[in-house]
Amino acid sequence: MTNVRVVAETGIIEQGSVCVENGRITAIVEGELVHSEGLDILDGEGKLLIPGMIDVHIHGAKGYDMMDGTVRSIEVVSETCAATGCTSFLATSVSSKMEDLLRMIDNVKQVAGKERGASIVGIHTEGPYLNIKRKGMQNEAFLRHPDIMEMERVVEQAGSLLKMVTIAPELPGGMELVTYLRERGIIVAIAHSDATYDEATEAFRLGASHITHCFNGMRPIHHRDPGLIVAAFEQPHVSLQAIVDHVHLHPAIIRLMHKIKGAEGMVLITDALHAMGLGDGDYQFGGHAVKVAYGVAQLQDGTLASSTVTMNKALRNTVELGISLEDAVTMASRTPADLLGLPQKGRIALGADADMVLLDDKFQVAWTMIGGRIYSQTS
């Protein structure tokens, strides 16, 4: 493709071209490509070419919840991700009965490797080992203390697809579960947690390395009780998720997170529920009645219930807050790729997977390329 503004691993190229062959990036050059016989050239019309974005936390889209027990729900999320500039994602659960979680895992396994849209690069289980005191929209009927024997069933069912588990480490058995998961190479994330500063610091020492939807569903910062957020700020190896939807985080907090952690320590997510892409209305999610009004999803008591933001809109919102385009793109692509141990994704670089997104000046998706092929809803 040619005549594009490229956000490459080496920096922004104001006018450049990118060559793709066999699903990989083979050349990145300044200027336009020279037309030659046998070479298919896409004209980017001066639009913005960025690496494919990676969502490590998404529950559903277009009326489909990945916990609804159907294979189709996984397929629709894959397709919707692709249409909104996300080329890879972690299928994310909510707290549930064990049989419902195992069914969701089985459905993901049936789709993984056969996706029509964004690639499934793993599974993220959010819960059920979460603190009722900080439950947010998680259904307390399913919340319980960490149970390694139960977790072994999940690990066995998911195999190498299990990439991330969000827990509250202060619960009985929580620290032991942190160790168990890290020994198996699974990312331990913390949220829906009332962990103190000391408890969080111990969890980070044992191997926890990520904060799910930072600031939401956790003990807040107090000057005599700093809690897990300040503990996470102090640990260089701990990265933070951010929902940048004009609702979950104040702009000043997003800028503070970026100032402390930098683009390499911050990950943009959607945390989207199945109302994403449908608009306002009444829905069921995680066993709760959810009302979406003006794009904001809430339980009846006003508790925020995930989000309806898409990755391209989260990227736009981040840039509009004053964070540089290059850093915002990094937080949406390369940082989550590095978090997941996927060095071939999340970057426009020689030899990387040809997962890329062309955006207009309003961050609307012109097209999404996955593995060198442009995604089409009708293909």
Side-chain angles (χ1 to χ4, degrees):
M1 64 216 68
T2 190
N3 190 21
V4 287
R5 186 181 183 206
V6 186
V7 183
E9 192 170 42
T10 54
I12 297 177
I13 300 172
E14 290 299 331
Q15 184 179 21
S17 303
V18 178
C19 298
V20 171
E21 186 175 353
N22 296 325
R24 299 275 180 168
I25 296 170
T26 56
I28 305 164
V29 297
E30 290 196 43
E32 294 189 37
L33 290 175
V34 177
H35 288 254
S36 63
E37 189 176 348
L39 186 65
D40 293 327
I41 297 180
L42 293 174
D43 185 353
E45 300 176 339
K47 293 183 173 69
L48 180 68
L49 186 70
I50 69 167
M53 294 180 282
I54 301 171
D55 193 353
V56 303
H57 190 158
I58 180 170
H59 297 283
K62 290 287 184 74
Y64 288 86
D65 179 348
M66 285 187 283
M67 296 295 293
D68 68 14
T70 68
V71 170
R72 182 60 185 154
S73 65
I74 314 300
E75 294 172 337
V76 169
V77 172
S78 169
E79 294 162 8
T80 307
C81 281
T84 54
C86 175
T87 56
S88 301
F89 70 101
L90 292 185
T92 307
S93 69
V94 294
S95 298
S96 66
K97 297 177 183 178
M98 177 55 64
E99 54 263 36
D100 292 337
L101 176 57
L102 296 178
R103 186 178 301 111
M104 177 262 203
I105 292 170
D106 184 60
N107 289 335
V108 172
K109 289 167 69 175
Q110 291 186 57
V111 177
K114 308 180 189 71
E115 309 92 336
R116 286 186 56 249
S119 302
I120 298 169
V121 289
I123 293 170
H124 169 195
T125 63
E126 186 181 9
Y129 311 127
L130 306 176
N131 196 321
I132 290 176
K133 187 174 181 180
R134 304 291 178 185
K135 63 184 173 63
M137 60 67 55
Q138 298 282 336
N139 193 327
E140 65 180 86
F142 303 123
L143 302 186
R144 46 198 184 268
H145 291 167
D147 183 332
I148 288 180
M149 289 185 64
E150 187 177 62
M151 194 72 231
E152 285 177 343
R153 292 181 63 194
V154 176
V155 172
E156 181 180 0
Q157 180 82 354
S160 61
L161 276 174
L162 186 61
K163 300 298 184 185
M164 182 183 296
V165 176
T166 294
I167 67 168
E170 74 278 8
L171 295 176
M175 298 301 176
E176 291 81 1
L177 184 59
V178 171
T179 299
Y180 171 86
L181 293 169
R182 285 309 301 146
E183 286 177 347
R184 286 152 182 81
I186 298 165
I187 299 162
V188 181
I190 300 176
H192 298 289
S193 167
D194 198 43
T196 64
Y197 172 87
D198 290 339
E199 289 168 335
T201 299
E202 176 63 8
F204 296 141
R205 185 188 70 81
L206 292 172
S209 61
H210 195 58
I211 302 295
T212 293
H213 46 54
C214 191
F215 282 95
N216 290 276
M218 57 194 66
R219 181 187 289 248
I221 296 174
H222 186 278
H223 57 288
R224 288 189 296 274
D225 179 16
L228 71 91
I229 298 170
V230 172
F233 282 169
E234 289 186 336
Q235 298 293 324
H237 76 287
V238 176
S239 53
L240 317 171
Q241 292 180 9
I243 308 173
V244 187
D245 64 347
H246 300 315
V247 179
H248 281 79
L249 296 167
H250 189 280
I253 290 293
I254 296 167
R255 289 190 290 265
L256 176 66
M257 292 167 66
H258 175 254
K259 185 174 183 179
I260 292 172
K261 284 294 183 179
E264 293 74 22
M266 198 168 161
V267 175
L268 300 186
I269 63 164
T270 66
D271 191 12
L273 78 165
H274 59 296
M276 183 232 270
L278 291 184
D280 294 350
D282 295 314
Y283 302 91
Q284 287 288 321
F285 180 52
H288 296 292
V290 175
K291 186 175 187 65
V292 178
Y294 303 102
V296 180
Q298 294 178 303
L299 304 184
Q300 291 179 339
D301 64 2
T303 300
L304 290 175
S306 296
S307 87
T308 61
V309 76
T310 57
M311 285 298 287
N312 63 312
K313 290 179 181 178
L315 181 68
R316 179 199 65 197
N317 294 344
T318 303
V319 173
E320 289 177 348
L321 293 179
I323 293 172
S324 72
L325 172 65
E326 193 168 357
D327 276 7
V329 169
T330 295
M331 295 189 295
S333 55
R334 191 174 77 227
T335 302
D338 291 347
L339 172 69
L340 297 173
L342 301 171
Q344 78 281 13
K345 293 189 179 295
R347 62 208 76 206
I348 296 178
L350 293 180
D353 289 351
D355 294 351
M356 294 177 283
V357 183
L358 191 68
L359 301 171
D360 67 17
D361 58 0
K362 291 182 170 53
F363 290 84
Q364 294 298 311
V365 176
W367 51 251
T368 301
M369 177 179 287
I370 303 171
R373 301 183 64 181
I374 292 179
Y375 167 75
S376 170
Q377 291 179 303
T378 59
S379 64

